[in-house]
């Protein structure tokens, strides 16, 4: 049992202070990072609530429900950013990366506090797999939103499609790592592969937007 | 794990290989091309389909012979349908909302959803994941009509044939014995005849909307068919994927977006 709210306050306070002394991109990055951590804790509350209401086991909640709840919450934070602040394309991507990194960092902090960090391999897996996965799903989401915006096709179908894709990636990852063995190794590698593919596409779509 | 499940897994693995090749080719189109919207959304749609397949295979191996409480692979298929719709929408020049088309899309997919519910009993899931199909179907009707790819007679033929498949599904719910076998055979004959017709039309016209309609019909036929006809529809579903990619590539060559 850990007190996630206390952990959040502990990590968030220095970040809030940095907001006073930074501006432009650095401030946006810190704000997004903070938002990501808050989204993470709210998602955990909702998952816990849904688990209690639905009667699902903890394992089934993590495999089937958490991906949907977490990805929806991340999308909501992105939509808030897009509709309230009307950011530029680069700022949308910055926001996605910040929220993803904040979410992954806070989740990793809580897991490490509850399970300890004596095994380097375990810590590496958490960082390189789960951590990367949250960023990958959000960057894919942001990429989709940017293209929809660029082609003036910012439709519900497009947004819902990209969200469902994120949920599927997340759900597949959670399913694969739920059992030890070969499937878990495939799961651990998956986010990094997705990150490489997205990086390749990022360059091209970035150049397109500049033109 | 039963023999049928094993056969489905083999089919799914084969389809996944085809999808992987298509995704790689779509990525190349994105990297090389000027217009990235359509190939990007096509690539995302095919990735969703691939992930849905992988989820299904992984689930069958990790939790054999158990039913998914919430089908994440259906979310993947919903994603594919929505992303394809987003891509196809960008090609629509005439987005006029014709009430007849919208009503037909609602009624036709609604009837399909009703038959899924009758089979599975999963109300919420089937309705939720059926909604993207309504939108997709409407986009396809609009695209085919506005582009004039199919003649009026052909459109009526497709509508009557697809409608009769659903009408024939109703007696299947309460018939037994020989009449059940007979109606099932008639229903399957109509369904597969329409599938072959869509296949021929897609091959001839090479239009992205017609090919996507062929794809949608193979999907619906899969949902409505028992084994071994399910595998037959699955086979057609695999064949239509490269056809869809080729027609999408053709749209880029014509620079219609």
């Amino acid at each position: 049992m850990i007190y996630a709210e206390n952990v959040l306050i502990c990590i968030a306070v220095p970040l809030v202070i940095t907001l006073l002394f930074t501006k432009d991109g650095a401030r946006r990055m810190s704000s997004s990072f903070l938002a990501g951590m808050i989204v993470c804790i709210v998602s955990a509350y909702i998952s816990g609530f849904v688990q209690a209401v639905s009667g699902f086991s903890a394992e089934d909640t993590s495999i089937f429900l958490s991906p949907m709840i977490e990805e929806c919450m991340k999308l909501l934070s992105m939509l808030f950013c897009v509709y309230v602040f009307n950011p530029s394309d680069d700022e949308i991507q910055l926001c996605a990366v910040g929220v993803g990194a904040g979410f992954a960092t806070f989740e990793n902090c809580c897991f490490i506090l509850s399970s300890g960090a004596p095994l380097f391999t375990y810590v590496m897996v958490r960082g390189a797999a789960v951590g990367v996965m949250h960023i990958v799903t959000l960057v894919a989401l942001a990429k989709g939103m940017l293209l929809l915006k660029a082609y003036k096709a910012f439709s519900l179908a497009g947004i819902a499609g990209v969200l469902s894709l994120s949920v599927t990636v997340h759900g597949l990852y959670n399913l694969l790592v739920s059992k030890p063995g070969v499937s878990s190794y495939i799961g651990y590698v998956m986010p990094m592969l997705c990150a490489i593919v997205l990086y390749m596409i990022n360059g091209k779509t970035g150049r397109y937007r500049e033109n | 794990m039963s023999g049928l499940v094993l056969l489905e897994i083999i089919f799914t693995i084969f389809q996944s290989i085809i999808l992987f090749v298509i995704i790689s080719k779509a990525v190349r189109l994105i990297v090389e091309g000027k217009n990235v919207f359509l190939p990007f959304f096509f690539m995302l749609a095919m990735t969703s389909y691939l992930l849905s397949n992988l989820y299904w295979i992984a689930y069958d191996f990790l939790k054999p012979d158990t039913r998914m409480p919430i089908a994440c692979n259906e979310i993947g298929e919903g994603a594919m349908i929505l992303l394809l719709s987003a891509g196809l929408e960008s090609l629509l020049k005439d987005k006029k909302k014709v009430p007849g088309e919208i009503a037909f899309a609602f009624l036709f997919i609604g009837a399909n959803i009703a038959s899924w519910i009758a089979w599975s009993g999963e109300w919420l899931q089937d309705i939720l994941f059926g909604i993207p199909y309504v939108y997709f179907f409407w986009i396809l009707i609009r695209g085919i009509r506005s582009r004039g790819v199919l003649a009026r007679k052909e459109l009526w033929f497709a509508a009557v044939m697809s409608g009769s498949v659903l009408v024939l599904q109703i007696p299947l719910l309460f018939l037994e014995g020989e009449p059940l076998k007979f109606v099932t055979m008639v229903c399957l004959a109509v369904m597969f005849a329409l599938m072959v017709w869509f296949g021929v039309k897609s091959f001839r016209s090479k239009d992205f909307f017609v090919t996507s309609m062929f794809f949608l019909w193979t999907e619906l036929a899969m949902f409505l068919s028992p084994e071994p006809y399910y595998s037959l529809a699955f086979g057609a579903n695999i064949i239509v994927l490269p056809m869809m990619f080729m027609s999408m590539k053709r749209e880029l060559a014509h620079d219609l977006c």
Side-chain angles (χ1 to χ4, degrees):
Chain A
M1 172 74 184
I2 58 157
Y3 295 94
E5 307 80 10
N6 299 355
V7 179
L8 178 69
I9 292 166
C10 172
I11 303 172
V13 170
L15 279 169
V16 173
I17 301 301
T18 61
L19 295 179
L20 301 174
F21 302 101
T22 50
K23 55 183 179 182
D24 300 333
R27 181 181 278 182
R28 283 188 202 102
M29 182 69 189
S30 299
S31 316
S32 309
F33 196 89
L34 265 170
M37 293 201 299
I38 294 165
V39 166
C40 182
I41 199 165
V42 174
S43 304
Y45 287 147
I46 297 172
S47 292
F49 173 74
V50 175
Q51 184 186 341
V53 171
S54 64
F56 274 40
S57 66
E59 192 194 348
D60 278 356
T61 306
S62 114
I63 296 173
F64 302 110
L65 295 176
S66 294
M68 284 184 232
I69 294 163
E70 290 178 7
E71 294 307 322
C72 285
M73 290 304 295
K74 284 195 271 183
L75 173 77
L76 286 177
S77 65
M78 285 296 296
L79 288 179
F80 181 81
C81 167
V82 169
Y83 284 112
V84 175
F85 302 110
N86 201 15
S88 66
D89 290 357
D90 286 335
E91 286 166 353
I92 290 177
Q93 184 133 332
L94 188 81
C95 174
V97 174
V99 171
F103 194 108
T105 306
F106 185 67
E107 197 182 62
N108 281 347
C109 283
C110 291
F111 267 96
I112 286 170
L113 278 171
S114 62
S115 319
L119 287 172
F120 180 68
T121 46
Y122 173 75
V123 179
M124 274 302 288
V125 163
R126 278 229 58 97
V130 190
V132 175
M133 198 224 12
H134 284 301
I135 297 172
V136 162
T137 54
L138 260 174
V139 170
L141 201 69
K143 272 272 121 282
M145 285 164 86
L146 287 177
L147 274 173
L148 287 167
K149 209 174 137 212
Y151 279 84
K152 294 180 175 58
F154 207 73
S155 61
L156 181 67
I159 299 283
V162 183
L163 170 70
S164 309
L165 175 61
S166 309
V167 173
T168 314
V169 172
H170 196 155
L172 180 61
Y173 171 82
N174 283 11
L175 176 70
L176 287 171
V177 301
S178 66
K179 293 271 157 72
V182 182
S183 70
S184 63
Y185 300 136
I186 297 170
Y188 296 143
V189 174
M190 199 180 79
M192 202 53 98
L193 285 177
C194 293
I196 293 167
V197 172
L198 265 179
Y199 179 72
M200 281 163 62
I201 294 169
N202 194 35
K204 173 65 195 172
T205 51
R207 277 200 300 279
Y208 166 76
R209 279 188 285 117
E210 280 164 22
N211 295 337
Chain B
M1 201 179 286
S2 67
L4 278 177
V5 174
L6 208 61
L7 182 73
E8 270 184 49
I9 289 176
I10 292 167
F11 263 79
T12 313
I13 291 171
F14 183 62
Q15 190 184 45
S16 303
I17 295 166
I18 302 275
L19 281 167
F20 185 76
V21 175
I22 289 173
I23 292 164
S24 321
K25 287 197 169 286
V27 170
R28 191 178 289 177
L29 277 180
I30 296 168
V31 174
E32 290 170 358
K34 283 178 186 169
N35 186 345
V36 292
F37 186 84
L38 187 60
F40 183 77
F41 273 83
F42 185 79
M43 186 270 291
L44 283 185
M46 292 301 115
T47 307
S48 301
Y49 203 20
L50 177 66
L51 288 171
S52 164
N53 280 351
L54 295 178
Y55 193 94
W56 192 81
I57 296 168
Y59 191 90
D60 268 335
F61 276 106
L62 296 174
K63 293 173 180 283
D65 302 319
T66 53
R67 195 159 170 79
M68 288 182 211
I70 293 171
C72 260
N73 71 325
E74 281 186 10
I75 299 177
E77 281 181 25
M80 171 197 62
I81 293 294
L82 287 165
L83 292 163
L84 269 179
S85 306
L88 283 161
E89 202 183 348
S90 71
L91 297 173
L92 269 186
K93 294 274 183 259
D94 179 9
K95 291 184 186 174
K96 198 164 61 184
K97 289 180 176 63
V98 181
E101 290 172 2
I102 297 170
F104 183 70
F106 257 103
L107 286 173
F108 181 70
I109 300 295
N112 268 286
I113 294 170
S115 69
W116 303 342
I117 293 169
W119 178 80
S120 67
E122 292 165 344
W123 280 84
L124 184 72
Q125 212 161 300
D126 287 338
I127 292 172
L128 201 65
F129 297 118
I131 294 168
Y133 284 89
V134 178
Y135 183 65
F136 185 51
F137 191 46
W138 173 71
I139 293 263
L140 292 178
I141 298 172
R142 190 83 285 270
I144 289 171
R145 283 197 72 191
S146 62
R147 289 175 159 210
V149 198
L150 295 180
R152 202 178 167 81
K153 274 183 191 172
E154 289 174 324
L155 280 171
W156 273 107
F157 168 75
V160 171
M161 289 280 274
S162 49
S164 38
V165 169
L166 288 171
V167 172
L168 285 166
Q169 290 284 318
I170 301 165
L172 293 181
L173 295 172
F174 50 83
L175 281 179
E176 281 174 13
E178 282 303 311
L180 174 72
K181 274 185 193 166
F182 176 73
V183 179
T184 307
M185 286 317 291
V186 172
C187 183
L188 287 168
V190 176
M191 195 156 68
F192 281 93
L194 186 59
M195 193 187 289
V196 171
W197 186 79
F198 271 132
V200 171
K201 285 286 160 196
S202 307
F203 189 75
R204 282 189 184 159
S205 68
K206 293 180 177 64
D207 184 83
F208 193 28
F209 284 91
V210 180
T211 325
S212 301
M213 186 64 100
F214 178 30
F215 172 74
L216 175 67
W217 189 248
T218 60
E219 282 267 301
L220 296 178
M222 275 163 71
F223 299 149
L224 293 174
S225 304
E227 282 289 357
Y229 305 100
Y230 174 86
S231 301
L232 207 61
F234 202 163
N237 189 264
I238 296 172
I239 293 167
V240 74
L241 292 169
M243 287 172 79
M244 274 174 85
F245 175 75
M246 296 305 287
S247 56
M248 186 273 293
K249 209 172 154 186
R250 202 164 163 265
E251 295 286 345
L252 291 176
H254 285 221
D255 204 18
L256 289 168
C257 327

